[in-house]
Amino acid sequence: MTNAKQIKWLFRSLLARNPDLIQVEPGVIWIRPIRHFAAKIWVKRCLDPNIFDSNMSLTTLYWDGSAIEDPFGSFVESFSRKPLPAPFTREYFLQPQYELRPEFPQLAAWGSTVGRWDWRVPDIDRIFTCAVEEQVLPLLRPLAEDHRAYLPFFRKFIIPGGRVHAEQQVAIALASGARDEARTFLAQIWRWYETDSHGDYEPPDQIVYPKPGQRKRAAIEAWEKASLCVSYRKTRRRILEIVEPLRTGDRAALAAILHRWEAEAARIHGVERWWEPTPFPIEEGLG
């Protein structure tokens, strides 16, 4: 089974060769600088104890960054021991029903020749390091460094894939200085947040999934209701917070809110010492 000792050994060479990488928690490497994004490399266990999965992800630190797992709207993609061959580019998988295209079966044939991430491969640490350096870092480093570099990537690959909510688009539009765009997205979702949809309901202070033996339908439904309420009200508080400064066009106030959300996420993840508070595009010309 994939464990902390194996992961430490797997990461050793990669971290030594790339001083801008840090292992914040078992199985997760962050890419610095940590400014507006959580750019990560993940290693996760599989049911087969000899196999592990590897993924890369990019999440806006100022909106959904406080979630431990990458939330809906993040860029998340697996990477293999070798780069995917043509025609299986990132654009290929944006095509509708790409899995029905005549060339798609070639992907499975290629995958069987490359092999999975297997601890039994003698030089799997070297293979992993090469894969990250060749496939992950060239993509994520520029996006993590510069919000302007992220915006075209967000519009080209994340939005068309349907992996984003209007709430996140509001925040990203604000950060980029596109206030009219942010108002458009806000108008689309305002009916959900103008009035608290949970009414007078108050969830318990501690929300714990029912233990084995207590997982009756009513208990699970109560847990789901409480969890959804907490998540909804967190989002609603944020939406309400930006309504007035967005209405008046107060860029300084909006930037201050975004920075505060970033600081909250950095604190939750324990990366405050590496977080670099950096101006957003919306702050251009202020001061």
Side-chain angles (χ1 to χ4, degrees):
M1 183 66 72
T2 299
N3 55 49
K5 183 177 180 180
Q6 286 175 304
I7 292 174
K8 182 179 180 180
W9 170 80
L10 183 72
F11 286 171
R12 181 181 54 186
S13 175
L14 178 64
L15 293 170
R17 289 165 54 94
N18 299 275
D20 61 330
L21 305 184
I22 52 171
Q23 184 179 359
V24 177
E25 55 192 295
V28 184
I29 285 176
W30 287 55
I31 302 173
R32 294 183 294 171
I34 301 173
R35 292 172 180 166
H36 303 311
F37 302 96
K40 303 178 189 177
I41 301 154
W42 299 77
V43 167
K44 297 183 178 182
R45 65 179 63 185
C46 297
L47 290 177
D48 184 337
N50 297 309
I51 305 298
F52 64 92
D53 283 333
S54 60
N55 295 284
M56 55 178 151
S57 69
L58 188 74
T59 301
T60 50
L61 200 61
Y62 53 87
W63 179 249
D64 282 323
S66 60
I68 299 301
E69 291 290 329
D70 289 316
F72 192 81
S74 301
F75 167 71
V76 181
E77 188 174 277
S78 62
F79 61 94
S80 57
R81 288 164 61 170
K82 293 182 180 180
L84 293 177
F88 303 108
T89 61
R90 195 165 284 109
E91 289 84 354
Y92 179 92
F93 295 100
L94 292 179
Q95 299 177 99
Q97 295 186 312
Y98 62 81
E99 68 277 6
L100 300 180
R101 296 182 64 85
E103 67 275 10
F104 187 73
Q106 299 173 18
L107 186 60
W110 172 85
S112 64
T113 64
V114 172
R116 302 181 66 185
W117 291 107
D118 193 326
W119 291 113
R120 293 167 297 185
V121 175
D123 57 348
I124 197 64
D125 59 329
R126 179 190 62 80
I127 296 172
F128 181 80
T129 296
C130 289
V132 171
E133 292 180 343
E134 293 176 2
Q135 300 178 55
V136 179
L137 298 183
L139 173 67
L140 293 191
R141 271 177 174 150
L143 302 182
E145 290 175 1
D146 186 0
H147 199 282
R148 292 175 187 81
Y150 169 73
L151 290 174
F153 183 85
F154 172 75
R155 295 188 178 108
K156 184 174 182 179
F157 294 110
I158 301 180
I159 293 177
R163 298 177 295 187
V164 64
H165 289 303
E167 290 86 346
Q168 188 188 48
Q169 294 198 63
V170 171
I172 292 171
L174 287 178
S176 66
R179 286 168 290 173
D180 287 342
E181 185 178 350
R183 294 184 186 104
T184 298
F185 289 126
L186 181 60
Q188 295 174 6
I189 60 174
W190 180 239
R191 67 184 183 277
W192 301 109
Y193 297 107
E194 185 175 13
T195 303
D196 189 338
S197 63
H198 288 268
D200 296 331
Y201 170 73
E202 289 298 332
D205 293 334
Q206 298 293 327
I207 304 175
V208 181
Y209 190 72
K211 298 179 180 179
Q214 299 177 349
R215 293 174 186 169
K216 307 296 183 182
R217 181 174 180 177
I220 293 176
E221 288 179 347
W223 173 82
E224 290 176 343
K225 180 178 180 179
S227 300
L228 288 173
C229 178
V230 169
S231 176
Y232 166 81
R233 284 179 175 165
K234 175 185 175 182
T235 301
R236 183 172 185 267
R237 283 194 298 270
R238 288 190 165 192
I239 293 297
L240 295 178
E241 194 173 356
I242 63 174
V243 168
E244 183 59 22
L246 181 56
R247 183 187 68 81
T248 61
D250 190 337
R251 292 189 293 153
L254 291 169
I257 291 169
L258 294 170
H259 283 299
R260 178 157 42 78
W261 292 347
E262 277 191 349
E264 174 190 341
R267 183 171 59 254
I268 288 172
H269 284 287
V271 296
E272 287 177 287
R273 55 179 159 162
W274 296 292
W275 174 52
E276 302 177 12
T278 305
F280 289 96
I282 194 176
E283 296 178 81
E284 289 181 348
L286 295 178

